[in-house]
């Protein structure tokens, strides 16, 4: 998947926050006591979910599988120190091809995996998610975008 995809899905901060709170509601009765955020995309939703579920124990697993918009082999840059447990919640922003989720499932087989967005190739690897996204759609998350001036239509015709 690359940024040159024909389909784009733009997500505002408000929409992302709303969807993440919906994910928190789905996790509310899971009896979770700790979270592993998948860095970097899972950091923001993990923080929101930790607040909503009143979870104070958070760690990160830092992985790299993209060079800007091109997917490549997954590298674990920093492992999480939290032990695998049924009370562990692993949070990421999205599951795309499932490469990251597959590697994390091996690392945390007992944990619950939750993402805000899920594409078909990786959807079966997560336990909870909020929004289905088509496989050939590039998701533009709010931390990857900036607000910019938009010329009025009349000026664009000149």
């Amino acid at each position: 998947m690359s940024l040159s995809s024909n389909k784009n899905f733009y997500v505002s901060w408000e929409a992302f926050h709303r969807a993440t709170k919906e994910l928190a509601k789905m996790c509310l009765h899971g009896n979770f006591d700790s979270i592993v955020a998948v860095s970097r995309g899972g950091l923001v939703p993990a923080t929101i979910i930790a607040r909503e579920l009143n979870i104070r124990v958070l760690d990160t697993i830092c992985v790299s599988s993209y060079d800007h918009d091109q997917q490549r082999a997954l590298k674990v840059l920093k492992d999480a120190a939290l032990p695998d447990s049924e009370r562990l919640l692993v949070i990421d922003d999205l599951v795309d091809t499932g490469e990251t989720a597959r590697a994390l499932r091996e690392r945390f087989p007992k944990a619950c995996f939750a993402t805000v967005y899920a594409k078909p190739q990786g959807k079966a690897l997560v336990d909870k998610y909020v929004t289905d996204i088509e496989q050939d759609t590039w998701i533009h998350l709010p931390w990857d975008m900036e607000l910019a001036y938009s010329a009025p239509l009349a000026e664009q015709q000149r």
Side-chain angles (χ1 to χ4, degrees):
M1 174 61 59
S2 84
L3 202 76
S4 62
S5 171
N6 291 339
K7 298 178 186 172
N8 293 286
F9 182 71
Y10 294 91
V11 182
S12 69
W13 281 109
E14 292 80 8
F16 190 79
H17 190 218
R18 199 169 34 254
T20 302
K21 283 185 79 166
E22 185 63 33
L23 184 60
K25 285 180 192 173
M26 296 167 75
C27 298
L28 191 57
H29 302 291
N31 202 27
F32 302 111
D33 62 8
S34 55
I35 292 175
V36 168
V38 182
S39 174
R40 291 179 307 207
L43 294 172
V44 173
T47 301
I48 294 167
I49 290 169
R51 179 197 181 271
E52 296 300 330
L53 301 184
N54 199 26
I55 295 173
R56 303 264 180 186
V57 178
L58 287 96
D59 198 353
T60 59
I61 187 163
C62 303
V63 298
S64 175
S65 61
Y66 278 88
D67 288 319
H68 179 55
D69 64 346
Q70 295 297 316
Q71 194 167 21
R72 59 169 165 67
L74 179 92
K75 286 193 277 187
V76 176
L77 306 172
K78 177 211 157 286
D79 199 355
L82 290 172
D84 185 30
S85 161
E86 295 85 12
R87 299 187 68 190
L88 176 66
L89 187 55
V90 177
I91 302 290
D92 206 351
D93 56 346
L94 70 110
V95 61
D96 190 334
T97 61
E99 289 291 319
T100 301
R102 203 170 283 108
L104 296 179
R105 280 257 180 227
E106 288 178 18
R107 170 68 178 86
F108 301 108
K110 296 177 187 173
C112 178
F113 285 74
T115 62
V116 181
Y117 304 105
K119 293 185 178 182
Q121 285 182 9
K123 188 174 12 180
L125 294 164
V126 296
D127 301 303
K128 300 174 188 303
Y129 72 94
V130 177
T131 305
D132 284 293
I133 302 291
E134 292 180 30
Q135 195 67 44
D136 61 348
T137 301
W138 185 263
I139 303 173
H140 298 271
L141 292 161
W143 50 86
D144 290 329
M145 299 183 293
E146 294 180 351
L147 294 177
Y149 174 76
S150 177
L153 291 175
E155 288 182 20
Q156 293 177 16
Q157 299 297 316
R158 295 180 192 169

